[in-house]
Amino acid sequence: DYSEYPESYKENTNKEKLILAYVENYRRQYVHLFRDRKPLFLNPLNECGIEKFVCTTLRPTLLSYKELYHWQGCAEFTADYLTMKQLEPPQELPLCLLSPSTILKRQLGNCFDFSNILCSLLLGAGYDAYVVSGYATKEICLTDESRQICPLLQPKEEVKKEAAKPEPRKYSVKPPRDLRSKFIIKMEARKKKEEEEEEKKKQQEEEDKIAELEKPPPDPLYGLRIHAWVLVRGGKREVPEDFFIEPFTGRSYPPSSTSFLGIESVWNHTNYWANMQNCASGCKDMSFDLMDTEKWEFMLAGSDQSQIEIPDAEEELYDMDDDEKENEDEKHLDMPASWVLPILVTKNQYEMRCPQGKKTILYKKAKLEKYANYLLKDGLVTRLSVYTNNELTDLNKVQEWYENREDKLVTRIHQDGLITEDFVEGRPRSLQQHLYKANNPGPEAERTMTFFHKARVDGLCKREETPAEITEHFINRDDFLYLRHVLFGKRQKKVAPATAEGTPRPILKITEKFHRNVSRPASEDVAEQVFVLHEDKIQVTYHREDPNITASTRDFFKPPNAEEKGGNLQWANDMTSTFQVNPHGAPSKNLSIYENLLMLIQTEQKSIQLVRVSEEEVRDILMDRQKEELASELAISVYDTERNEKAKKHRKELERLAMEEKLRRQEMEMDYLAPFLAQIGNPDKINKSQAFKLKEDCLADLKQRLIDKANLIQLRFEKETSELHKRQQDYQQKQVAMTKEDEEQYFNYCSEAMFRIHILELRLNRHKQMAPHKYMQLEQKLRQDQRLSQFCKIII
């Protein structure tokens, strides 16, 4: 339907016709000089069948999404949002080039359409970008990435920081002399180097063998497949060097890549350049200095990039006057404005990204699935499946990414029977990562939980659990505790009342380790305390003094029923044994040892309670995770008015109330009985006497208003008449002595006064004629009013 397109799509302006004449002249010269080369892509048809210059099809646009300010975001959005359509036939240029707005609406296009949109976004973001028309391999033209590694699996380049070299000291101790044989060291290094080279050679042969097996079959159209991509030149936006962007995939390639076999031409929104370089070796040795006229032939001489800079030493020889420069500039034709509509992408379109919100890409031994936000109920946006074979049948690993989940889940990895879940901050128990076995997700199984320790009061950062052990790690605690290890025993079968949690596991041993507390002596600062519950034994190890190589220890043997409250603990010398590092130190007194034993017994009971609390916390976390997976609720921002049902209902309710209030006020303003009903208290039902009173009051009020209006008009009429009579008398008395200006003022006043008097007279006569009709109309309305209709026969 051509009617939906603007006039710029259906006809050319005079300037566009002139540029098309330039294009035709440029094409004829190119064909005459290069008869053996393919024709240039210059003036294809648009969606309305009108010839348009390819440069005017570009529309530099910066969209209001921060991800599209960088080339990675623009390339990824273009590759995801559009669906690829192959060129038919692949060795011929397309006949049409549609506008970017039409392609975005259809979400379907060929390589030229992809490159056109991507280049427009890059130009709007400030990059020095160009559309390239050339030749590429079959894998690039058909978007075959089955032989490429998935970008998510490629290792990230880590910037290695060089270790700071220590400053040489003047009086440093010299290192000892190396007494080893230099010949032996040299021979060992040579042997090691030969082994490394042999290993590298074997590895390289193996890689070459695999590459030969994975090499694609020969392409009969190799070097003839036409393709379009984007060139980004270095300089702007801190781009260090030139690189290519493949629009179908959004991946970047260096110009030396073997995937691109040749270039015919490049263009942007200002000019068009034809390539004059030999492409026998592809784009490897190609120069992209577009101002070099020996390698690139421009079309418009007025472009800034097509002008050759003159050296400073020769400026005087070519110096021209200002008038000559202006005349010279006038001779150059500049590029017409773009004829396409502005590129607009709504928020819903941007969030949907892929057509129908999902896309699947096959890589080498991997499959990548992309989904739009809020498309799936569980919040899944990306799933990467890694296989061990190229046929994608033997699954090895599955990694999933989530967004907008209420449980703060961001990633989940399935590998080797283990599941790893990562969370962001904001969960009730500050869980950061959960690693467990897929076949045994319940409590008292092998699992590892990592927590955000800064958000927890107890400073817990990691909890490792097995059926027989629990190990907890802490950070920055006031009591300097950094590790607690619990050893459990097997449950004994006893006849006991069943509970919801079952019989708790018996605790055999609790080990707690502490950091050094510098405020206390090392011989009194506990480094490790072990509660051996099944032996009623407590082992305490203190921190080691700096000059010593061992630490002091003390063992306590608890008497029976030592944990009972109110029980008297009888002291005996065989209840403790001590190893003191310093033999000359004063031994501890029995009273302090007794008090230490009482404190340790209380600490033991607290540690047992904390262990039970940890077990209960693990069960609560697992129960919460089970409920969260069943619910799969997604978080919706209060500013997202489309998805937030609560905000939408609240907004609609406010709009409804506002509309009702507006209608009520309009009814109140138009209701002639409203002020009289308010006088009697707005009753729900009206009786006969009230109806009679409402009718009399309403008619009497209208009659009085009509009389008041008539009196007001009469008063103004009399005032204007008396004023005019006074001015006429004054004029007759002073007529002889008046000047021409005074006479003119008098006549003007008389004219205006007569006009006002005439108008007031007409209004008064009209009011007298209309007053009875208004009275009768109100009486008719009162008779038809529903509130008074049941009494109309009586009161009227």
Side-chain angles (χ1 to χ4, degrees):
D1 186 8
Y2 294 162
S3 61
E4 64 181 6
Y5 297 109
E7 292 298 325
S8 61
Y9 282 62
K10 294 179 284 188
E11 61 183 18
N12 289 321
T13 62
N14 294 331
K15 195 170 186 179
E16 287 179 318
K17 294 178 181 178
L18 181 59
I19 199 69
L20 288 176
Y22 267 67
V23 169
E24 181 62 23
N25 182 41
Y26 186 84
R27 186 193 62 79
R28 287 201 307 267
Q29 295 182 32
Y30 179 83
V31 172
H32 178 72
L33 295 175
F34 306 99
R35 297 181 181 275
D36 57 340
R37 291 181 61 174
K38 287 272 189 177
L40 297 177
F41 192 62
L42 289 168
N43 52 343
L45 303 177
N46 66 353
E47 45 263 58
C48 295
I50 305 298
E51 286 188 2
K52 295 289 184 178
F53 187 30
V54 290
C55 295
T56 60
T57 310
L58 291 169
R59 181 69 181 254
T61 304
L62 178 62
L63 297 176
S64 60
Y65 306 105
K66 62 180 181 180
E67 293 84 1
L68 300 185
Y69 185 65
H70 303 281
W71 72 265
Q72 295 91 340
C74 295
E76 184 179 358
F77 171 75
T78 306
D80 291 343
Y81 190 76
L82 303 177
T83 301
M84 185 269 291
K85 181 177 66 173
Q86 301 179 18
L87 293 176
E88 291 295 340
Q91 67 273 19
E92 297 293 338
L93 291 169
L95 299 178
C96 300
L97 180 63
L98 307 185
S99 63
S101 57
T102 303
I103 296 299
L104 289 174
K105 184 178 179 180
R106 298 180 181 180
Q107 290 188 272
L108 180 68
N110 55 37
C111 54
F112 287 91
D113 299 324
F114 273 69
S115 302
N116 203 25
I117 294 176
L118 178 56
C119 187
S120 299
L121 297 179
L122 293 176
L123 290 172
Y127 288 95
D128 191 10
Y130 304 82
V131 178
V132 182
S133 175
Y135 307 93
T137 60
K138 180 180 179 181
E139 288 73 24
I140 291 291
C141 296
L142 301 183
T143 324
D144 184 6
E145 299 182 87
S146 59
R147 293 178 178 86
Q148 296 187 9
I149 300 176
C150 179
L152 298 177
L153 296 177
Q154 294 179 353
K156 296 182 180 179
E157 297 180 358
E158 297 182 357
V159 180
K160 296 182 178 180
K161 296 182 179 180
E162 297 182 358
K165 298 181 179 180
E167 297 181 0
R169 297 182 181 179
K170 185 177 181 181
Y171 301 103
S172 59
V173 179
K174 294 182 180 180
R177 294 182 62 184
D178 190 2
L179 301 178
R180 295 179 298 170
S181 172
K182 294 182 179 179
F183 176 76
I184 295 176
I185 295 175
K186 185 177 180 181
M187 296 303 295
E188 290 178 353
R190 181 184 296 178
K191 184 178 179 181
K192 185 178 180 181
K193 185 177 180 181
E194 291 176 355
E195 291 177 354
E196 290 179 354
E197 289 179 354
E198 187 68 22
E199 185 67 25
K200 287 182 179 178
K201 186 177 180 180
K202 290 182 180 179
Q203 186 177 359
Q204 185 65 32
E205 291 177 355
E206 187 69 21
E207 291 179 356
D208 293 342
K209 186 177 180 181
I210 295 174
E212 187 66 24
L213 293 174
E214 294 180 351
K215 191 175 181 180
D219 182 17
L221 296 178
Y222 182 82
L224 300 176
R225 294 182 180 272
I226 293 177
H227 190 60
W229 63 94
V230 175
L231 163 67
V232 179
R233 295 182 60 198
K236 292 186 178 181
R237 289 295 306 272
E238 301 180 355
V239 177
E241 56 186 3
D242 305 341
F243 65 94
F244 294 152
I245 301 178
E246 168 52 38
F248 284 158
T249 61
R251 303 181 68 170
S252 62
Y253 294 85
S256 59
S257 175
T258 57
S259 300
F260 302 95
L261 307 178
I263 294 177
E264 291 286 354
S265 60
V266 300
W267 65 87
N268 63 2
H269 64 298
T270 60
N271 209 340
Y272 189 97
W273 293 268
N275 181 27
M276 300 288 107
Q277 304 173 69
N278 188 4
C279 299
S281 59
C283 305
K284 181 178 180 181
D285 301 324
M286 189 173 294
S287 172
F288 293 99
D289 184 7
L290 300 180
M291 291 186 291
D292 189 350
T293 55
E294 294 182 357
K295 299 178 180 179
W296 297 91
E297 183 63 33
F298 58 84
M299 176 178 292
L300 301 180
S303 176
D304 296 336
Q305 294 184 347
S306 64
Q307 295 178 357
I308 304 176
E309 296 183 0
I310 303 174
D312 296 338
E314 301 180 2
E315 284 186 358
E316 297 180 358
L317 298 176
Y318 297 93
D319 191 16
M320 295 185 298
D321 296 336
D322 294 339
D323 296 338
E324 295 179 359
K325 290 182 180 179
E326 292 178 0
N327 295 333
E328 187 70 19
D329 293 339
E330 291 176 357
K331 295 179 181 178
H332 299 314
L333 176 66
D334 58 342
M335 188 66 64
S338 179
W339 56 272
V340 303
L341 290 172
I343 299 177
L344 298 177
V345 179
T346 63
K347 186 178 179 181
N348 291 336
Q349 293 174 340
Y350 179 75
E351 291 179 351
M352 189 60 66
R353 300 298 289 265
C354 310
Q356 298 181 356
K358 53 186 177 181
K359 187 175 185 179
T360 302
I361 306 174
L362 300 180
Y363 293 99
K364 181 180 179 181
K365 298 181 181 181
K367 181 175 69 173
L368 182 63
E369 301 171 73
K370 295 183 178 181
Y371 301 93
N373 290 341
Y374 298 101
L375 181 67
L376 302 181
K377 294 182 179 180
D378 58 354
L380 179 66
V381 294
T382 307
R383 179 189 288 121
L384 175 63
S385 303
V386 183
Y387 300 83
T388 58
N389 57 353
N390 293 327
E391 291 76 16
L392 306 183
T393 56
D394 188 6
L395 185 63
N396 179 37
K397 174 185 174 183
V398 177
Q399 187 169 359
E400 300 171 337
W401 286 265
Y402 299 87
E403 287 187 8
N404 308 310
R405 284 186 58 123
E406 286 284 356
D407 57 3
K408 308 300 181 182
L409 178 66
V410 289
T411 60
R412 179 186 286 134
I413 301 175
H414 304 257
Q415 187 176 15
D416 299 332
L418 298 176
I419 298 178
T420 304
E421 297 176 339
D422 292 311
F423 305 86
V424 294
E425 294 181 343
R427 287 185 59 85
R429 294 178 178 85
S430 305
L431 182 63
Q432 182 180 9
Q433 188 182 76
H434 186 199
L435 173 64
Y436 60 96
K437 288 187 176 181
N439 57 1
N440 192 5
E444 300 182 10
E446 292 187 14
R447 71 181 68 257
T448 301
M449 292 183 178
T450 306
F451 300 88
F452 295 99
H453 65 276
K454 293 183 179 179
R456 291 182 63 99
V457 179
D458 56 358
L460 178 64
C461 66
K462 189 177 182 180
R463 178 184 289 130
E464 300 172 347
E465 183 181 6
T466 64
E469 295 180 2
I470 287 182
T471 304
E472 296 179 333
H473 303 265
F474 303 90
I475 295 178
N476 297 330
R477 281 179 64 105
D478 295 337
D479 57 358
F480 298 95
L481 176 68
Y482 70 91
L483 185 139
R484 179 185 290 122
H485 178 264
V486 185
L487 182 63
F488 297 96
K490 294 184 178 179
R491 288 186 175 90
Q492 297 179 359
K493 295 182 179 180
K494 293 183 179 181
V495 180
T499 58
E501 295 81 8
T503 306
R505 291 178 290 178
I507 301 175
L508 300 181
K509 184 171 68 173
I510 300 176
T511 302
E512 296 179 345
K513 296 183 180 181
F514 301 85
H515 286 297
R516 179 76 172 89
N517 185 4
V518 295
S519 63
R520 301 183 62 185
S523 59
E524 299 178 4
D525 188 15
V526 177
E528 182 184 59
Q529 56 188 17
V530 182
F531 304 103
V532 187
L533 301 181
H534 65 287
E535 296 180 2
D536 289 336
K537 182 179 178 181
I538 301 176
Q539 299 174 349
V540 180
T541 303
Y542 298 92
H543 281 279
R544 180 181 58 83
E545 293 280 0
D546 289 339
N548 301 328
I549 60 174
T550 58
S552 301
T553 62
R554 185 182 298 276
D555 297 341
F556 294 94
F557 302 94
K558 298 187 300 180
N561 303 325
E563 298 85 2
E564 294 181 359
K565 294 182 179 180
N568 294 325
L569 185 61
Q570 300 295 330
W571 172 255
N573 292 329
D574 59 350
M575 295 172 60
T576 180
S577 64
T578 305
F579 170 73
Q580 189 170 349
V581 176
N582 186 6
H584 303 290
S588 300
K589 296 182 180 180
N590 291 336
L591 179 60
S592 61
I593 297 174
Y594 177 75
E595 292 176 350
N596 192 10
L597 175 59
L598 294 179
M599 183 190 67
L600 288 173
I601 291 174
Q602 295 178 0
T603 305
E604 181 184 75
Q605 297 301 315
K606 291 181 181 178
S607 299
I608 293 173
Q609 293 178 3
L610 292 174
V611 171
R612 298 306 181 191
V613 170
S614 298
E615 291 182 298
E616 183 66 25
E617 184 181 24
V618 171
R619 285 193 290 268
D620 292 342
I621 291 175
L622 297 180
M623 188 177 296
D624 292 342
R625 290 293 303 125
Q626 186 177 6
K627 293 179 180 178
E628 290 164 355
E629 287 298 324
L630 292 175
S632 297
E633 295 183 359
L634 300 181
I636 301 176
S637 174
V638 294
Y639 302 103
D640 192 349
T641 56
E642 295 297 327
R643 298 187 181 92
N644 197 322
E645 295 296 333
K646 293 183 180 179
K648 187 185 295 186
K649 289 181 180 179
H650 182 64
R651 185 178 72 255
K652 290 183 178 180
E653 183 66 19
L654 292 179
E655 292 176 355
R656 185 184 63 81
L657 294 176
M659 183 59 68
E660 290 180 356
E661 181 66 19
K662 182 178 180 181
L663 294 175
R664 189 184 64 83
R665 290 182 178 179
Q666 291 178 355
E667 291 177 358
M668 288 289 292
E669 292 175 358
M670 298 176 62
D671 189 6
Y672 40 83
L673 290 179
F676 306 102
L677 289 171
Q679 294 178 1
I680 60 176
N682 291 319
D684 296 335
K685 293 184 178 180
I686 301 175
N687 52 30
K688 177 181 177 181
S689 59
Q690 290 175 342
F692 182 79
K693 187 175 186 306
L694 286 173
K695 175 254 180 182
E696 293 296 334
D697 292 345
C698 188
L699 292 176
D701 181 75
L702 176 62
K703 183 177 180 180
Q704 186 62 39
R705 287 173 58 191
L706 293 175
I707 294 173
D708 293 341
K709 186 175 181 180
N711 293 336
L712 180 62
I713 298 173
Q714 183 67 29
L715 181 62
R716 291 180 180 177
F717 176 80
E718 293 176 355
K719 183 178 179 181
E720 289 288 343
T721 304
S722 62
E723 184 68 23
L724 178 62
H725 184 67
K726 289 181 181 179
R727 294 293 294 271
Q728 288 176 349
Q729 290 180 353
D730 186 59
Y731 173 75
Q732 291 178 359
Q733 294 177 359
K734 301 178 181 180
Q735 183 178 5
V736 179
M738 291 183 67
T739 61
K740 291 184 179 180
E741 293 180 357
D742 294 338
E743 287 183 357
E744 280 186 21
Q745 291 180 359
Y746 169 73
F747 291 136
N748 291 336
Y749 170 77
C750 290
S751 177
E752 294 176 358
M754 291 298 294
F755 176 75
R756 290 194 296 271
I757 291 172
H758 179 67
I759 293 299
L760 290 172
E761 186 177 4
L762 291 177
R763 289 180 62 188
L764 183 60
N765 294 332
R766 178 179 175 81
H767 179 70
K768 290 180 179 179
Q769 294 176 1
M770 296 298 299
H773 296 286
K774 291 181 179 181
Y775 190 86
M776 294 174 63
Q777 288 178 359
L778 179 60
E779 188 176 10
Q780 183 67 23
K781 288 181 180 180
L782 292 175
R783 184 177 301 173
Q784 297 176 356
D785 194 289
Q786 296 180 358
R787 293 165 291 185
L788 305 178
S789 58
Q790 55 182 340
F791 307 108
C792 61
K793 295 181 180 180
I794 302 175
I795 62 177
I796 297 179

